[in-house]
Amino acid sequence: MDVHIGTDHAGFELKNRLVKALRAKGHEVTDHGAHQYDALDDYPPFCTDVGQAVVGHPGSLGVVIGGSGNGEQIAANKVRGVRAALVWNEDTARLARQHNDANVISIGARQHTEEELEELIDIFLAEPFSGEDRHQRRIDLVSQYEETGDYVDPAATSAP
């Protein structure tokens, strides 16, 4: 699996360990930074870089890391085509992929142990999208809104 990963200072050391761990598991990992510790750096560029890479490489997945993961999820979701999910337990990791076909996981380095975070990422990366019609329909609605700023009601456009 091609994995893109990025963080600011809050997850810097964790990211470096995760890059090694993911590579050891056979993943192709692209590190989008931070590449040096800077307590004053800002997370949005790292997260949007990950998002752009994921959208630019279909089939890849992304990991964004922050203190809580909240802002990182918001930043990554500003990239058109990204579906970033804030994950905090095994169920949210699985459901993000199964139901939402999330392509980026957002995690909080200050919220879990490193072992827990690695497990959440492993679950996310391994879980496939279910492909169920109801889930795809909802993803399509979100994508439609992202593109047009509106929803087209299929019932309004179909012939009686």
Side-chain angles (χ1 to χ4, degrees), residues 35 74 92 160:
H35 298 292
I74 292 167
T92 59

Side-chain angles (χ1 to χ4, degrees), residues 4-8 32-33 42-56 62-65 71-82 84 104:
H4 298 273
I5 191 167
T7 187
D8 65 0
H32 294 272
D42 298 310
Y43 62 82
F46 303 116
C47 298
T48 55
D49 285 353
V50 167
Q52 289 172 338
V54 167
V55 171
V63 178
V64 294
I65 307 165
E72 294 73 22
Q73 177 201 29
I74 292 167
N77 275 321
K78 297 301 179 187
V79 176
R80 183 173 291 178
V82 167
V104 174

Side-chain angles (χ1 to χ4, degrees), residues 81-92:
V82 167
R83 288 178 307 283
L86 177 63
V87 169
W88 64 90
N89 63 26
E90 291 181 11
D91 285 338
T92 59

Side-chain angles (χ1 to χ4, degrees), residues 1 16 24 35 60 66 99 101 110 134 137 139 142-143 148 159:
M1 167 72 61
N16 291 339
H35 298 292
S60 67
H99 291 187
D101 198 16
R110 298 177 182 147
R134 65 189 173 120
R137 183 177 65 247
I139 292 166
V142 170
S143 296
T148 68

Side-chain angles (χ1 to χ4, degrees), residues 7-160:
T7 187
D8 65 0
H9 60 278
F12 179 73
E13 290 184 24
L14 170 64
K15 178 207 39 107
N16 291 339
R17 285 191 281 278
L18 287 171
V19 166
K20 290 177 188 172
L22 290 167
R23 286 180 177 153
K25 293 173 184 176
H27 298 290
E28 295 291 327
V29 181
T30 304
D31 182 348
H32 294 272
H35 298 292
Q36 61 185 24
Y37 181 84
D38 177 356
L40 299 178
D41 63 6
D42 298 310
Y43 62 82
F46 303 116
C47 298
T48 55
D49 285 353
V50 167
Q52 289 172 338
V54 167
V55 171
H57 300 98
S60 67
L61 294 174
V63 178
V64 294
I65 307 165
S68 69
N70 284 311
E72 294 73 22
Q73 177 201 29
I74 292 167
N77 275 321
K78 297 301 179 187
V79 176
R80 183 173 291 178
V82 167
R83 288 178 307 283
L86 177 63
V87 169
W88 64 90
N89 63 26
E90 291 181 11
D91 285 338
T92 59
R94 276 191 197 89
L95 292 172
R97 293 286 301 134
Q98 280 179 10
H99 291 187
N100 305 113
D101 198 16
N103 51 12
V104 174
I105 182 176
S106 184
I107 55 173
R110 298 177 182 147
Q111 310 305 310
H112 306 278
T113 67
E114 289 184 19
E115 294 78 19
E116 290 169 334
L117 291 169
E118 189 173 339
E119 180 65 22
L120 294 176
I121 293 168
D122 288 345
I123 290 168
F124 180 84
L125 295 177
E127 191 68 37
F129 173 52
S130 71
E132 290 181 39
D133 288 341
R134 65 189 173 120
H135 299 307
Q136 185 61 58
R137 183 177 65 247
R138 294 165 187 161
I139 292 166
D140 291 344
L141 283 168
V142 170
S143 296
Q144 180 183 64
Y145 189 85
E146 182 178 56
E147 291 294 320
T148 68
D150 201 359
Y151 300 108
V152 175
D153 181 358
T157 59
S158 62

